[in-house]
Amino acid sequence: MVLTATKVIDGRDHLLGRLASIVAKELLAGQTIVIVRCDEMCVSGSLVRNRVKYAQFRRKAMNTNPRRGPFHFKSPARMVWRTIRGMVHQKTARGQEALTRLSTFEGIPEPYDKQKRVVVPAALRTLRLKPERKYTIIGELAHSVGWKHRDLLKKLESKRKAEAAEFYEKKKEKGTLRKKAVESASDELNKVNEVLAAYGY
């Protein structure tokens, strides 16, 4: 990746570990990154296997006072954030600065739904996991361990998708009208086009 103002990554159907390692590298290089749709990211292995692994992880706590940590997040966005945190040397000043450049979200919230989103081919499940292998969607895992906002998110996402579809239809109509306008004005523009062609345009 080349450093730009902010990169918005669509986490849907990406493998968690692979995406996290690439994002960690970019954060340390100075890139600002936003990951949306963390709830649709994947982890290899079945849901049963991942639930067992998460249950073992949740048992890890401070012996004398568990309230002091380690803390086990239930929301998909925080799970992704925590995974990346472990890859940026977060106990150094450089790592802490890198973490300030990262944002993670379930679904696609307000400002990012109208911005260009990118994918990371090196982390896509379809390119990295054999077709017969089992995998777990992080949103399903989070729901099974106590995340309470899956239904709310589905409702908000369905509303966003309906609005996006409506916008896209209007955009197509505008494109069609523009094409017709160009065709109808092509006779008038012949002379102009000849002059422009002479100058190499």
Side-chain angles (χ1 to χ4, degrees):
M1 291 185 191
V2 180
L3 289 185
T4 55
T6 302
K7 268 210 166 49
V8 182
I9 297 176
D10 189 347
R12 181 177 172 273
D13 228 22
H14 284 70
L15 290 169
L16 173 62
R18 286 180 181 274
L19 182 63
S21 62
I22 292 164
V23 168
K25 272 272 197 207
E26 292 299 316
L27 291 171
L28 289 167
Q31 177 66 58
T32 302
I33 292 179
V34 175
I35 306 175
V36 295
R37 290 213 274 194
C38 290
D39 52 295
E40 293 186 44
M41 283 173 68
C42 303
V43 185
S44 58
S46 67
L47 179 60
V48 173
R49 174 186 168 81
N50 281 300
R51 281 189 71 179
V52 169
K53 284 177 76 174
Y54 197 82
Q56 290 171 342
F57 167 62
R58 281 187 74 179
R59 285 189 67 234
K60 291 178 168 59
M62 184 177 174
N63 201 11
T64 51
N65 189 356
R67 282 181 299 179
R68 289 188 178 175
F71 304 108
H72 316 290
F73 301 115
K74 290 177 184 173
S75 83
R78 295 303 276 173
M79 286 180 183
V80 173
W81 180 85
R82 193 182 200 276
T83 305
I84 295 166
R85 185 187 71 176
M87 298 183 183
V88 295
H89 302 291
Q90 57 105 10
K91 291 192 178 180
T92 64
R94 179 173 176 242
Q96 284 295 322
E97 278 177 26
L99 272 180
T100 61
R101 291 190 283 272
L102 173 68
S103 302
T104 55
F105 298 99
E106 293 97 12
I108 308 179
E110 171 57 31
Y112 307 111
D113 57 350
K114 293 182 177 65
Q115 291 179 18
K116 183 185 176 185
R117 299 184 289 278
V118 297
V119 297
V120 181
L124 281 172
R125 178 186 59 81
T126 48
L127 301 179
R128 287 292 164 183
L129 212 58
K130 289 181 179 177
E132 70 273 9
R133 298 296 186 201
K134 291 179 180 177
Y135 64 92
T136 303
I137 295 167
I138 294 181
E140 295 300 317
L141 174 65
H143 180 71
S144 70
V145 298
W147 180 52
K148 295 184 174 70
H149 304 295
R150 184 179 67 170
D151 297 333
L152 172 63
L153 186 66
K154 277 184 181 174
K155 183 181 164 187
L156 292 171
E157 279 293 281
S158 59
K159 184 185 172 190
R160 178 189 67 79
K161 285 173 184 174
E163 286 173 1
E166 191 181 323
F167 169 79
Y168 182 61
E169 288 303 316
K170 284 180 182 174
K171 189 180 176 183
K172 280 203 292 187
E173 283 172 23
K174 276 185 185 176
T176 310
L177 289 171
R178 182 184 167 83
K179 196 176 178 183
K180 283 179 183 174
V182 169
E183 284 171 6
S184 65
S186 58
D187 297 334
E188 298 168 25
L189 294 172
N190 277 341
K191 287 181 182 178
V192 177
N193 286 337
E194 283 170 16
V195 174
L196 288 172
Y199 287 102
Y201 290 101

